[in-house]
């Protein structure tokens, strides 16, 4: 579902619509623009370029969206990473890496954030930090956040839960 909403996969039947447009009818360049400006995807892991620092990862996200890289440091500070801006992903904890990915979405004001098991590999403390960061996206930035999770704690933190079992809404 997340890959469909991100415009990374095409449905085998039906239509995927986001923000009033059919993703299946967009040309590849328009899909790329949609991915860079309208949606942001945070996977369970592997969201960052390993050779870039946290700041450089957020700057790259901004540049791909056609925006100035200036807000990168402020976005990282907003998510408690001001002391980690020059660290590469290997030197960051799993929670810090997820918050860098969320900071990149926040910096470019992505209206839609799609998160696949964003807390699956995290301890309880880091899970709380990531959930707080996701809440800030909705509260302060007005983003819609869609999270796929198996975690009861993450589901309880959501405003709305849609349960899917065996490919059907339960």
């Amino acid at each position: 579902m997340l890959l469909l909403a991100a415009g990374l996969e095409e449905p085998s039947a039906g239509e995927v619509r986001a923000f009033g447009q059919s993703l299946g009818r967009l040309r590849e360049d328009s899909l790329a623009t949609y991915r860079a400006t309208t949606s942001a995807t945070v996977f369970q892991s592997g969201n960052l370029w390993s050779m870039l620092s946290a700041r450089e990862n957020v700057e790259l996200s901004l540049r791909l969206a056609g925006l100035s890289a200036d807000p990168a440091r402020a976005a990282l500070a907003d998510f408690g990473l001001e002391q980690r801006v020059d660290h590469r992903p290997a030197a960051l904890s799993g929670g810090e890496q997820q918050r860098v990915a969320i900071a990149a979405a926040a910096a470019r004001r992505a209206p839609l954030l799609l998160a696949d098991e964003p807390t699956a590999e995290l301890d309880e403390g880091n899970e709380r930090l990531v959930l707080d960061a996701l809440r800030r996206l909705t509260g302060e930035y007005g983003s819609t956040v869609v999270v796929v999770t198996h975690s009861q704690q993450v589901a309880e933190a959501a405003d709305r839960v849609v349960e899917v079992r065996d490919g059907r809404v339960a």
Side-chain angles (χ1 to χ4, degrees):
M1 181 197 79
L2 291 181
L3 295 176
L4 292 169
L8 294 169
E9 298 232 346
E10 291 183 29
S12 56
E15 179 181 46
V16 177
R17 297 185 64 78
F19 301 98
Q21 60 187 347
S22 172
L23 298 184
R25 295 185 183 180
L26 295 178
R27 293 188 338 226
E28 192 56 43
D29 61 330
S30 296
L31 268 175
T33 299
Y34 167 78
R35 290 181 203 117
T37 61
T38 304
S39 71
T41 306
V42 175
F43 296 104
Q44 187 172 343
S45 62
N47 293 296
L48 306 176
W49 293 93
S50 62
M51 71 292 273
L52 300 178
S53 68
R55 177 183 45 79
E56 291 166 334
N57 268 281
V58 176
E59 287 173 349
L60 178 60
S61 177
L62 287 161
R63 286 191 185 109
L64 289 172
L67 301 170
S68 165
D70 293 342
R73 275 188 188 276
L76 289 163
D78 283 349
F79 292 93
L81 296 163
E82 57 273 356
Q83 303 300 317
R84 311 293 279 167
V85 295
D86 294 320
H87 289 75
R88 290 190 176 162
L92 300 173
S93 72
E96 289 170 334
Q97 289 178 33
Q98 292 298 67
R99 285 186 286 144
V100 170
I102 294 166
R108 59 187 177 94
R109 302 294 196 256
L112 175 63
L113 176 76
L114 305 165
D116 184 17
E117 297 283 1
T119 64
E121 298 179 15
L122 305 181
D123 61 35
E124 189 176 317
N126 276 309
E127 180 180 68
R128 270 194 307 277
L129 289 171
V130 169
L131 289 175
D132 289 343
L134 292 172
R135 274 191 214 97
R136 288 188 65 201
L137 285 181
T138 60
E140 295 177 31
Y141 300 99
S143 298
T144 297
V145 177
V146 177
V147 177
V148 172
T149 187
H150 289 92
S151 166
Q152 187 63 34
Q153 293 85 348
V154 173
E156 288 171 0
D159 294 330
R160 181 175 179 206
V161 175
V162 177
E163 190 172 337
V164 177
R165 285 193 191 157
D166 299 323
R168 293 189 176 343
V169 175

